Every structure is written in structure tokens, then in C-alpha cells.
């Protein structure tokens, strides 16, 4: 009985083992035949569905991309415009900061120099007063001009020229070059009605003086030298109103903003008629007199004259004295205004005469260039031709208008042979 029961249990175990073996075998077989499972056929359908949806997305993307591109392009243009405005503002602020720093430095020097009692510093550190204090503005002198200058000037500075209809072609080149550079603070003092109308028609800031019979005839009919002499009287009003003036003749082409290149540490900053470092900035000229034997050589200090057609003048007491002296002498003498201008600036005090105590600075002759430097030297030198001056003054040549146009062609329009046809001197 027991043996039969053991035998039955053994048979049941054998059947279980066989069933497990068969299951494993069947599983291996299915794994071999269907590696992705029994429902793998659904995957391609899903993939096809996804592919279709992707295709729909892709087919709609060009329109969306185009609109997106336009949006991005608009943002880029807007950013570039803002960047340009910021750069311009930074440049303006830099110029204003430089002026403020100069003013602060000048004020400190004035305070130190004008103190009642002060000791000299260590050897090599003592500096004398170079910048005289400006006068208190007096708008009652010319309320109409004062109102105009408030609109035109920047930091109480501006370029001023005098002109009548005799110089209209040159005047047009003059203010066109200023506008091209982007200089906003300039003013034409019109000496006749034609010039006033001409300036207004070209949106040029213009000022006409109140009638003055003593000077009206000179202003309307006078030539360059007569008008140049008149400017010293007119200039005085600008200074009385508290403005620093960059006085300019009309035979000048502007290529950079001159206010970015001024030092403002003297009563007068002027361009030179010199054509080299020696002649522009001064040199020791030895005079030889053999009859004196051992003392035959006499040393002299020389400098070529300042150009009275382009100078920066601050509203200081020495500046007023300079203008008064020059205007008075020109009304009493038959003299060239530039000669008188320099004599009053440079002649020292002596018995019977008190010299003018005005501080002076000579401008860089390659930045503030006269036409002798340009036509005799610069245009023939490959290195100097690459320099870009601030202004070019056609002061050494009579055929001013064609040379002014040639300067514009050379420096502005890049025509390299524009200056070649002109002789070094006058024709």
C-alpha cells in the first residue's frame, strides 16, 4: 500500500518537471521566432502615425520660421539702433566729462594761484596760473543774441563766422562740411540780407546784427580783410554774454569736430601760419653780424604768426583787452588785422607801453592745418597723406573755392588725386 503511494507521487513530480521543461522550450521558441513580442506589428503603425505628425509639423515650419526670422530681424535692428544711440550718448558724455574735468582742474589752479598767501612747492612742481577766470555773463548787452546762443551753443561754446554775399560759394562748402561732420553748435553772422536768406534756405543757424551805419557798409561791400577786421568788434558781444567762441573764416573745410581737440587752458588757442615744428612752435634764430667780432652772433627767438582767421577765445579779461586793442588800432590805422592781432598778443611791456598779459596756446599744425602745410608737404608724403586733419584752412592761396572742393574730394570722398593738379603756391 505504501509502495503504491510512493509510486503515484513520483509520477506526479515527473509530470510537473516535464510540464516545466515543455514551458521553457515553448518560451525559447517564441523568443526566437518573435524577438519584438507578439504585438510588434503595432510599432510601425505608431511610427507611421508619428511620422505623419512630424511631417505636419515640418510642413508648417517654413511659415513659422519666416515670421520668426522677421521678428528676430526687427529685434536686431532695434538693438543696433539703441546701440548706436548709446555710443553717441557715451561720446557726448565723454566730451562733457572732459570739459568738466578741465574746468575743475582750472578752478583748482585758479584758487591756488589767487590765494593771498601760499608757499612754493618742491623743486619742479610749481605751476603758474595759465587759465584766467571767465567774466560774469551780461545778457543785457544783447538779449536777442543771448536767446539765440542758448539754443545754438553746447557747453557755452560755438563756431562763429562772418559772411556776406561775396563769399557765398565758399560759405556753402564751409557749412556743408560742418553739417557732414555733425557739428551742431555753429552760427553764421550774416552781414547782408542775401546771406541771411541763403542760410535760412539751407537750415543754417544765422544771426543778423542790429543796424549800425558805421559798419554796415563794410559788412555788405567789404572784402576779406575788411570783414576780418570787423569781426573783432562783433566778437566782443559773444564774449560779454559769457560764451567761448571758435572764430572761423569761411575758407575752411571741417573734417572733424574741433571741440574734441581743444585744451581750453589759455585765453587764446590759435592755429599757426607755420609750416614746420620750428616755425609753428618757435625756434632760436641766430643773427650774424661779423663786424662785432667776438660778439658777432646774437640769438633771437622767433615764431610764425598766429592765424587770425581761426582761433578759440575764452571770455576772460585779457581776451576783452585783446579785442579792444585790435579793434581800436584797426579803426585808427591802415593795417592788416592779422599783424595787429599778433603784435598785441606777443609784444612785451616796455617803456611807454603795457603789454597784454594773455595766455596763449598754439594748435597742432597737422590737426589744424594751413594750406601751405597741405599743398607743400602733406600731399607729397605717403605717411602724412594718411592723417586726417580736424580742419584745413585755405589761407595761403587765392584760388580758395576750387582748393576747398579739392580738399573735400580728397579727405571726404577718397579721391586720391584730387590735390595733384594744384601748384604748391599761388598761380
Amino acid at each position: 500500500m505504501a509502495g503504491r503511494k510512493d509510486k503515484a507521487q513520483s509520477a506526479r513530480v515527473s509530470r510537473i518537471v516535464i510540464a516545466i521543461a515543455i514551458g521553457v522550450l515553448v518560451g525559447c521558441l517564441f523568443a526566437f521566432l518573435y524577438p519584438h513580442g507578439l504585438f510588434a506589428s503595432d510599432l510601425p503603425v505608431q511610427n507611421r502615425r508619428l511620422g505623419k505628425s512630424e511631417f505636419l509639423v515640418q510642413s508648417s515650419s517654413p511659415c513659422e520660421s519666416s515670421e520668426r526670422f522677421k521678428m528676430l530681424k526687427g529685434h536686431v535692428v532695434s538693438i543696433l539702433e539703441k546701440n548706436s544711440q548709446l555710443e553717441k550718448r557715451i561720446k557726448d558724455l565723454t566730451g562733457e566729462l572732459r570739459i568738466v574735468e578741465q574746468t575743475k582742474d582750472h578752478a583748482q589752479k585758479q584758487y591756488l594761484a589767487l590765494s593771498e598767501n601760499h608757499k612754493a612747492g618742491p623743486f619742479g612742481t610749481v605751476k603758474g596760473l595759465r587759465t584766467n577766470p571767465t567774466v560774469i555773463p551780461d545778457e543785457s548787452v544783447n538779449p536777442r543774441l543771448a536767446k539765440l546762443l542758448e539754443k545754438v551753443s553746447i557747453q557755452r561754446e560755438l563756431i562763429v563766422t562772418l559772411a556776406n554775399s561775396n563769399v557765398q560759394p565758399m560759405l556753402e562748402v564751409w557749412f556743408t562740411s560742418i553739417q557732414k561732420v555733425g557739428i551742431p553748435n555753429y552760427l553764421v553772422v550774416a552781414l547782408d540780407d542775401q546771406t541771411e536768406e541763403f542760410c535760412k534756405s539751407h537750415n543754417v543757424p544765422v544771426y543778423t546784427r542790429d543796424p549800425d551805419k558805421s559798419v554796415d557798409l563794410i559788412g555788405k561791400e567789404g572784402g576779406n580783410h575788411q570783414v576780418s577786421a570787423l569781426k573783432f568788434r562783433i566778437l566782443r558781444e559773444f564774449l560779454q554774454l559769457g560764451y567761448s567762441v571758435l572764430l572761423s573764416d569761411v575758407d575752411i573745410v571741417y573734417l572733424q569736430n574741433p571741440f574734441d581737440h581743444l585744451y581750453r587752458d589759455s585765453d587764446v588757442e590759435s592755429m599757426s601760419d607755420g609750416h614746420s615744428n620750428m616755425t609753428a612752435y618757435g625756434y632760436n634764430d641766430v643773427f650774424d653780424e661779423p663786424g662785432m667780432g667776438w660778439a658777432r652772433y646774437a640769438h633771437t627767438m622767433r615764431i610764425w604768426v598766429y592765424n587770425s582767421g581761426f582761433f578759440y577765445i575764452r571770455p576772460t579779461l585779457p581776451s576783452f583787452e585783446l579785442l579792444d586793442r585790435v579793434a581800436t588800432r584797426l579803426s585808427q590805422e591802415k593795417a592788416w588785422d592779422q599783424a595787429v592781432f599778433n603784435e598785441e598778443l606777443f609784444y612785451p611791456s616796455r617803456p611807454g607801453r603795457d603789454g597784454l598779459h594773455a595766455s596763449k596756446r598754439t594748435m597742432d599744425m597737422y590737426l589744424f592745418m594751413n594750406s601751405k602745410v597741405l599743398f607743400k608737404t602733406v600731399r607729397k608724403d605717403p605717411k602724412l597723406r594718411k592723417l586726417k586733419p580736424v580742419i584745413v584752412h585755405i589761407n595761403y592761396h587765392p584760388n580758395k573755392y576750387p582748393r576747398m572742393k579739392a580738399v573735400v574730394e580728397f579727405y571726404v570722398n577718397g579721391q586720391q588725386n584730387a590735390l595733384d593738379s594744384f601748384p604748391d603756391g599761388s598761380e
Side-chain angles (χ1 to χ4, degrees), residues 44-101:
V45 175
Q46 291 176 355
N47 288 340
R48 283 197 296 272
R49 288 174 182 172
L50 289 172
K52 187 175 181 181
S53 64
E54 287 175 358
F55 173 76
L56 290 173
V57 171
Q58 289 175 359
S59 65
S60 63
S61 64
C63 294
E64 293 179 3
S65 298
S66 177
E67 292 177 2
R68 208 171 193 189
F69 177 75
K70 289 179 181 178
M71 269 176 55
L72 289 172
K73 188 177 179 182
H75 284 313
V76 170
V77 171
S78 176
I79 290 169
L80 289 174
E81 288 178 354
K82 289 180 180 178
N83 186 53
S84 177
Q85 293 174 357
L86 284 172
E87 287 179 352
K88 185 178 179 182
R89 182 57 181 158
I90 288 170
K91 186 177 180 182
D92 292 342
L93 288 173
T94 302
E96 292 176 7
L97 179 62
R98 177 171 45 78
I99 293 172
V100 169
E101 288 176 347

Side-chain angles (χ1 to χ4, degrees), residues 132-185:
N132 287 303
T134 56
V135 299
I136 298 172
D138 183 7
E139 294 188 1
S140 65
V141 172
N142 191 331
R144 184 166 64 90
L145 178 58
K147 189 175 181 179
L148 176 61
L149 294 183
E150 284 182 7
K151 298 178 181 179
V152 175
S153 69
I154 296 178
Q155 298 291 328
R156 301 190 73 83
E157 295 179 323
L158 73 162
I159 301 170
V160 175
T161 193
L162 278 67
N164 58 24
S165 56
N166 294 334
V167 295
Q168 183 170 304
M170 288 190 292
L171 177 63
E172 185 171 9
V173 178
W174 181 85
F175 66 66
T176 301
S177 69
I178 287 178
Q179 293 170 343
K180 183 82 174 179
V181 173
I183 305 169
N185 50 329

Side-chain angles (χ1 to χ4, degrees), residues 342-353:
N342 280 272
E343 288 170 4
E344 293 300 331
L345 266 177
F346 287 98
Y347 280 179
S349 298
R350 54 173 170 77
R353 181 185 186 275

Side-chain angles (χ1 to χ4, degrees), residues 243-262:
Y243 290 86
S244 296
V245 174
L246 185 57
L247 193 68
S248 171
D249 283 351
V250 295
D251 56 343
I252 292 176
V253 177
Y254 287 77
L255 303 168
Q256 298 186 59
N257 191 329
F259 293 108
D260 294 336
H261 300 272
L262 296 175

